[in-house]
Amino acid sequence: MMSCPKKKNGSAFTLLFVIALILFAIFPGLALAQEAAASAPSASPSFSFNLGEGSPDKFSTSIQILMLLTVLSLAPAIFIMMTAFTRIVVVLSFMRQAFGTQQAPPNQILIGLALFLTFLVMAPVWQRVNSEALQPYLDEKITQQDALSKAVDPFRQFMLRQVREKDLSLFVSIAKLPQPKNPDDIPTYAVIPAFMISELRMAFQIGFLVYLPFIVIDIVVASVLMSMGMMMLPPVMISIPFKLILFVLADGWFLIVGSLVKGFA
Protein backbone atom coordinates (compact mmCIF):
# COMPACT_ATOMS: atom_id res chain seq x y z
CA MET A 1 0.00 0.00 0.00
CA MET A 2 1.14 3.49 -0.72
CA SER A 3 1.05 6.19 1.93
CA CYS A 4 1.31 9.93 1.48
CA PRO A 5 4.63 11.37 2.60
CA LYS A 6 4.36 13.87 5.42
CA LYS A 7 5.85 16.74 3.54
CA LYS A 8 5.23 20.17 4.93
CA ASN A 9 6.22 22.18 1.89
CA GLY A 10 6.05 21.58 -1.85
CA SER A 11 3.84 23.55 -4.19
CA ALA A 12 3.79 20.80 -6.83
CA PHE A 13 2.54 18.21 -4.33
CA THR A 14 -0.01 20.68 -2.98
CA LEU A 15 -1.27 21.41 -6.49
CA LEU A 16 -1.66 17.70 -7.31
CA PHE A 17 -3.49 17.15 -4.03
CA VAL A 18 -5.85 20.05 -4.76
CA ILE A 19 -6.58 18.81 -8.28
CA ALA A 20 -7.29 15.31 -6.99
CA LEU A 21 -9.75 16.63 -4.42
CA ILE A 22 -11.40 18.91 -6.98
CA LEU A 23 -11.88 15.93 -9.26
CA PHE A 24 -13.98 14.25 -6.58
CA ALA A 25 -15.97 17.47 -6.17
CA ILE A 26 -16.66 17.81 -9.90
CA PHE A 27 -17.32 14.14 -10.52
CA PRO A 28 -19.00 12.66 -7.45
CA GLY A 29 -19.07 9.28 -9.20
CA LEU A 30 -15.33 8.93 -8.64
CA ALA A 31 -15.79 9.07 -4.88
CA LEU A 32 -18.65 6.61 -5.03
CA ALA A 33 -16.59 4.23 -7.16
CA GLN A 34 -13.74 4.53 -4.70
CA GLU A 35 -15.98 3.68 -1.75
CA ALA A 36 -17.51 0.75 -3.64
CA ALA A 37 -14.09 -0.59 -4.57
CA ALA A 38 -12.96 -0.31 -0.96
CA SER A 39 -16.04 -2.03 0.48
CA ALA A 40 -16.66 -4.71 -2.18
CA PRO A 41 -15.32 -8.19 -1.44
CA SER A 42 -12.49 -9.38 -3.60
CA ALA A 43 -13.57 -11.69 -6.41
CA SER A 44 -11.75 -14.81 -7.53
CA PRO A 45 -9.74 -15.07 -9.69
CA SER A 46 -8.04 -11.69 -9.17
CA PHE A 47 -4.69 -10.04 -9.68
CA SER A 48 -3.14 -7.65 -7.19
CA PHE A 49 0.23 -6.37 -6.16
CA ASN A 50 1.55 -4.47 -3.16
CA LEU A 51 4.14 -1.72 -2.98
CA GLY A 52 4.47 -1.89 0.78
CA GLU A 53 2.44 -2.23 3.93
CA GLY A 54 -0.18 0.19 5.12
CA SER A 55 -3.26 0.54 7.29
CA PRO A 56 -6.57 -0.86 6.02
CA ASP A 57 -8.15 2.59 5.85
CA LYS A 58 -5.77 3.72 3.11
CA PHE A 59 -6.65 3.55 -0.59
CA SER A 60 -5.82 0.40 -2.43
CA THR A 61 -2.82 0.60 -4.72
CA SER A 62 -4.88 0.27 -7.87
CA ILE A 63 -7.20 3.11 -6.85
CA GLN A 64 -4.21 5.30 -6.03
CA ILE A 65 -2.60 4.63 -9.40
CA LEU A 66 -5.89 5.29 -11.19
CA MET A 67 -6.35 8.56 -9.32
CA LEU A 68 -2.77 9.64 -10.06
CA LEU A 69 -3.14 8.96 -13.79
CA THR A 70 -6.46 10.82 -13.84
CA VAL A 71 -4.90 13.82 -12.08
CA LEU A 72 -1.94 13.91 -14.45
CA SER A 73 -4.17 13.74 -17.52
CA LEU A 74 -6.66 16.38 -16.35
CA ALA A 75 -4.28 18.67 -14.48
CA PRO A 76 -3.66 21.11 -17.40
CA ALA A 77 -7.37 21.45 -18.13
CA ILE A 78 -8.25 21.99 -14.46
CA PHE A 79 -5.43 24.51 -14.10
CA ILE A 80 -6.81 26.49 -17.06
CA MET A 81 -10.47 26.22 -16.04
CA MET A 82 -10.33 27.13 -12.37
CA THR A 83 -7.60 29.77 -12.15
CA ALA A 84 -6.76 33.20 -13.51
CA PHE A 85 -4.78 31.69 -16.39
CA THR A 86 -7.58 32.01 -18.97
CA ARG A 87 -8.01 35.76 -18.69
CA ILE A 88 -4.29 36.48 -18.52
CA VAL A 89 -3.22 34.41 -21.52
CA VAL A 90 -6.09 35.68 -23.71
CA VAL A 91 -5.25 39.32 -22.94
CA LEU A 92 -1.57 38.74 -23.68
CA SER A 93 -2.50 37.11 -26.99
CA PHE A 94 -4.67 40.10 -27.92
CA MET A 95 -1.77 42.39 -27.08
CA ARG A 96 0.58 40.55 -29.43
CA GLN A 97 -2.00 40.62 -32.23
CA ALA A 98 -2.48 44.36 -31.69
CA PHE A 99 1.24 44.85 -32.23
CA GLY A 100 0.96 43.14 -35.60
CA THR A 101 3.90 40.87 -34.87
CA GLN A 102 3.48 37.15 -35.43
CA GLN A 103 6.08 35.70 -33.06
CA ALA A 104 7.16 38.57 -30.83
CA PRO A 105 6.93 37.94 -27.95
CA PRO A 106 7.17 34.17 -28.60
CA ASN A 107 4.53 31.77 -27.34
CA GLN A 108 6.91 30.41 -24.70
CA ILE A 109 7.35 33.88 -23.23
CA LEU A 110 3.63 34.63 -23.15
CA ILE A 111 2.74 31.24 -21.62
CA GLY A 112 5.53 31.54 -19.06
CA LEU A 113 4.46 35.05 -18.05
CA ALA A 114 0.84 33.92 -17.82
CA LEU A 115 1.84 30.97 -15.64
CA PHE A 116 3.82 33.02 -13.15
CA LEU A 117 1.14 35.70 -12.99
CA THR A 118 -1.37 32.93 -12.31
CA PHE A 119 0.82 31.59 -9.50
CA LEU A 120 0.94 35.10 -8.05
CA VAL A 121 -2.82 35.59 -8.22
CA MET A 122 -3.67 32.12 -6.94
CA ALA A 123 -1.03 32.02 -4.17
CA PRO A 124 -3.48 33.02 -1.37
CA VAL A 125 -5.91 30.31 -2.51
CA TRP A 126 -3.23 27.60 -2.54
CA GLN A 127 -1.93 28.73 0.83
CA ARG A 128 -5.41 28.33 2.30
CA VAL A 129 -5.73 24.87 0.76
CA ASN A 130 -2.34 23.86 2.12
CA SER A 131 -3.00 25.12 5.64
CA GLU A 132 -6.68 24.16 5.95
CA ALA A 133 -6.86 20.91 3.97
CA LEU A 134 -3.54 19.39 2.91
CA GLN A 135 -1.49 19.58 6.10
CA PRO A 136 -4.33 18.46 8.41
CA TYR A 137 -5.04 15.57 6.03
CA LEU A 138 -1.39 14.51 5.95
CA ASP A 139 -1.28 14.72 9.74
CA GLU A 140 -4.43 12.54 9.83
CA LYS A 141 -6.36 15.17 11.75
CA ILE A 142 -9.26 15.26 9.29
CA THR A 143 -10.89 12.73 7.00
CA GLN A 144 -10.83 12.70 3.24
CA GLN A 145 -14.34 14.16 3.03
CA ASP A 146 -13.39 17.05 5.32
CA ALA A 147 -10.21 17.66 3.30
CA LEU A 148 -12.26 17.65 0.12
CA SER A 149 -14.71 20.29 1.31
CA LYS A 150 -11.96 22.45 2.79
CA ALA A 151 -9.84 22.25 -0.40
CA VAL A 152 -12.64 23.05 -2.83
CA ASP A 153 -14.09 25.92 -0.81
CA PRO A 154 -11.23 28.45 -1.49
CA PHE A 155 -11.46 27.76 -5.23
CA ARG A 156 -15.23 28.18 -5.19
CA GLN A 157 -14.92 31.48 -3.35
CA PHE A 158 -12.34 32.69 -5.88
CA MET A 159 -14.50 31.74 -8.86
CA LEU A 160 -17.69 33.14 -7.35
CA ARG A 161 -15.98 36.52 -6.81
CA GLN A 162 -15.23 36.75 -10.55
CA VAL A 163 -18.31 35.14 -12.07
CA ARG A 164 -21.39 37.05 -13.17
CA GLU A 165 -24.77 36.20 -11.71
CA LYS A 166 -26.18 36.06 -15.24
CA ASP A 167 -23.70 33.36 -16.24
CA LEU A 168 -24.45 31.35 -13.10
CA SER A 169 -28.16 31.52 -13.83
CA LEU A 170 -27.53 30.28 -17.37
CA PHE A 171 -25.80 27.07 -16.28
CA VAL A 172 -28.19 26.49 -13.40
CA SER A 173 -31.04 26.55 -15.90
CA ILE A 174 -29.13 24.37 -18.40
CA ALA A 175 -28.47 21.77 -15.69
CA LYS A 176 -32.15 22.02 -14.63
CA LEU A 177 -31.19 22.58 -11.02
CA PRO A 178 -33.59 23.97 -8.41
CA GLN A 179 -33.35 27.67 -7.78
CA PRO A 180 -30.45 28.12 -5.33
CA LYS A 181 -30.98 30.20 -2.24
CA ASN A 182 -27.29 31.09 -1.88
CA PRO A 183 -24.04 30.40 -3.79
CA ASP A 184 -23.30 27.36 -1.60
CA ASP A 185 -26.27 25.58 -3.19
CA ILE A 186 -24.73 25.78 -6.68
CA PRO A 187 -22.69 22.67 -7.55
CA THR A 188 -19.09 23.03 -8.62
CA TYR A 189 -19.73 21.59 -12.09
CA ALA A 190 -22.05 24.56 -12.77
CA VAL A 191 -19.74 27.17 -11.25
CA ILE A 192 -16.72 26.22 -13.40
CA PRO A 193 -18.24 26.83 -16.89
CA ALA A 194 -19.90 30.02 -15.64
CA PHE A 195 -16.53 31.20 -14.36
CA MET A 196 -14.88 30.37 -17.69
CA ILE A 197 -17.28 32.36 -19.87
CA SER A 198 -17.13 35.26 -17.42
CA GLU A 199 -13.34 35.22 -17.70
CA LEU A 200 -13.51 35.11 -21.50
CA ARG A 201 -15.93 38.03 -21.52
CA MET A 202 -13.64 40.09 -19.31
CA ALA A 203 -10.58 39.14 -21.39
CA PHE A 204 -12.29 40.27 -24.60
CA GLN A 205 -13.25 43.58 -22.99
CA ILE A 206 -9.65 44.21 -21.95
CA GLY A 207 -8.45 43.10 -25.39
CA PHE A 208 -10.73 45.67 -27.04
CA LEU A 209 -9.23 48.44 -24.93
CA VAL A 210 -5.72 47.21 -25.74
CA TYR A 211 -6.48 47.26 -29.46
CA LEU A 212 -7.80 50.83 -29.63
CA PRO A 213 -4.54 52.87 -29.53
CA PHE A 214 -2.83 50.53 -31.98
CA ILE A 215 -5.75 50.71 -34.43
CA VAL A 216 -5.46 54.52 -34.38
CA ILE A 217 -1.77 54.24 -35.28
CA ASP A 218 -2.59 51.84 -38.14
CA ILE A 219 -5.25 54.20 -39.52
CA VAL A 220 -2.94 57.23 -39.36
CA VAL A 221 -0.03 55.40 -40.99
CA ALA A 222 -2.24 53.95 -43.75
CA SER A 223 -3.76 57.40 -44.47
CA VAL A 224 -0.32 59.06 -44.68
CA LEU A 225 1.04 56.38 -47.03
CA MET A 226 -2.00 56.64 -49.31
CA SER A 227 -1.73 60.43 -49.43
CA MET A 228 1.92 60.10 -50.41
CA GLY A 229 1.08 57.59 -53.15
CA MET A 230 3.06 54.82 -51.47
CA MET A 231 0.34 52.23 -51.78
CA MET A 232 2.77 49.40 -52.49
CA LEU A 233 4.46 49.80 -49.11
CA PRO A 234 2.77 47.66 -46.42
CA PRO A 235 1.52 49.95 -43.63
CA VAL A 236 2.45 47.33 -41.04
CA MET A 237 6.16 47.82 -41.71
CA ILE A 238 5.84 51.50 -40.80
CA SER A 239 3.32 51.22 -37.97
CA ILE A 240 5.10 48.55 -35.91
CA PRO A 241 7.99 50.83 -34.83
CA PHE A 242 5.52 53.52 -33.78
CA LYS A 243 3.49 50.97 -31.83
CA LEU A 244 6.59 49.80 -30.02
CA ILE A 245 7.61 53.35 -29.18
CA LEU A 246 4.11 54.15 -27.87
CA PHE A 247 4.02 50.97 -25.82
CA VAL A 248 7.43 51.60 -24.26
CA LEU A 249 6.78 55.30 -23.53
CA ALA A 250 3.43 54.48 -21.93
CA ASP A 251 5.07 51.69 -19.87
CA GLY A 252 2.62 49.24 -21.37
CA TRP A 253 3.82 46.13 -19.57
CA PHE A 254 3.38 47.84 -16.22
CA LEU A 255 -0.13 48.98 -17.09
CA ILE A 256 -1.36 45.70 -18.58
CA VAL A 257 0.13 43.37 -15.97
CA GLY A 258 -0.89 45.66 -13.14
CA SER A 259 -4.46 45.87 -14.41
CA LEU A 260 -4.69 42.11 -14.88
CA VAL A 261 -3.41 41.25 -11.40
CA LYS A 262 -5.41 43.97 -9.64
CA GLY A 263 -8.55 42.86 -11.45
CA PHE A 264 -8.56 39.68 -9.35
CA ALA A 265 -8.25 41.48 -6.02
Side-chain angles (χ1 to χ4, degrees):
M1 304 290 288
M2 297 176 61
S3 59
C4 297
K6 294 184 177 296
K7 185 177 180 182
K8 296 300 181 182
N9 295 314
S11 57
F13 182 69
T14 303
L15 182 57
L16 286 177
F17 174 80
V18 170
I19 294 174
L21 293 180
I22 292 172
L23 282 174
F24 289 113
I26 301 174
F27 306 105
L30 291 178
L32 296 177
Q34 170 197 318
E35 294 177 358
S39 59
S42 58
S44 181
S46 63
F47 174 78
S48 62
F49 62 95
N50 294 325
L51 300 179
E53 296 183 355
S55 57
D57 58 342
K58 298 294 184 180
F59 296 154
S60 66
T61 302
S62 59
I63 296 298
Q64 287 184 352
I65 295 176
L66 177 62
M67 186 178 69
L68 177 61
L69 293 177
T70 305
V71 168
L72 293 178
S73 61
L74 297 181
I78 294 177
F79 181 80
I80 292 174
M81 289 187 299
M82 303 182 62
T83 63
F85 183 82
T86 300
R87 183 192 303 186
I88 295 173
V89 75
V90 171
V91 170
L92 294 180
S93 300
F94 273 127
M95 185 196 65
R96 184 174 65 180
Q97 293 178 8
F99 278 139
T101 57
Q102 299 297 325
Q103 295 296 330
N107 288 331
Q108 293 84 348
I109 300 298
L110 293 183
I111 297 299
L113 179 59
L115 283 174
F116 281 102
L117 290 178
T118 303
F119 292 152
L120 176 63
V121 172
M122 301 300 298
V125 177
W126 288 335
Q127 288 174 359
R128 282 190 56 192
V129 173
N130 182 65
S131 61
E132 298 178 6
L134 176 58
Q135 296 304 327
Y137 177 71
L138 294 180
D139 295 335
E140 300 181 355
K141 297 180 179 178
I142 58 176
T143 62
Q144 178 197 351
Q145 288 74 17
D146 294 334
L148 170 63
S149 60
K150 291 179 181 295
V152 174
D153 186 62
F155 281 90
R156 286 178 54 90
Q157 292 180 7
F158 172 79
M159 291 188 291
L160 290 172
R161 285 198 304 267
Q162 309 299 328
V163 72
R164 294 192 307 168
E165 183 178 353
K166 182 178 180 180
D167 297 329
L168 279 176
S169 301
L170 171 64
F171 287 97
V172 167
S173 62
I174 291 176
K176 298 180 180 180
L177 299 172
Q179 188 66 27
K181 299 179 180 180
N182 53 67
D184 294 335
D185 297 335
I186 304 176
T188 304
Y189 61 81
V191 175
I192 293 176
F195 169 74
M196 289 189 66
I197 65 173
S198 297
E199 288 294 282
L200 289 174
R201 176 179 178 272
M202 181 61 66
F204 275 67
Q205 289 179 346
I206 300 175
F208 171 76
L209 297 177
V210 170
Y211 253 101
L212 283 180
F214 298 113
I215 289 178
V216 173
I217 295 178
D218 286 333
I219 293 174
V220 171
V221 171
S223 301
V224 172
L225 292 179
M226 290 185 63
S227 64
M228 296 176 62
M230 303 174 65
M231 291 179 292
M232 299 300 295
L233 180 64
V236 177
M237 296 182 60
I238 307 299
S239 62
I240 287 181
F242 289 100
K243 292 178 182 179
L244 295 177
I245 292 175
L246 174 64
F247 192 77
V248 172
L249 292 179
D251 203 356
W253 288 110
F254 176 84
L255 295 176
I256 291 178
V257 172
S259 300
L260 283 174
V261 174
K262 293 177 182 178
F264 292 99

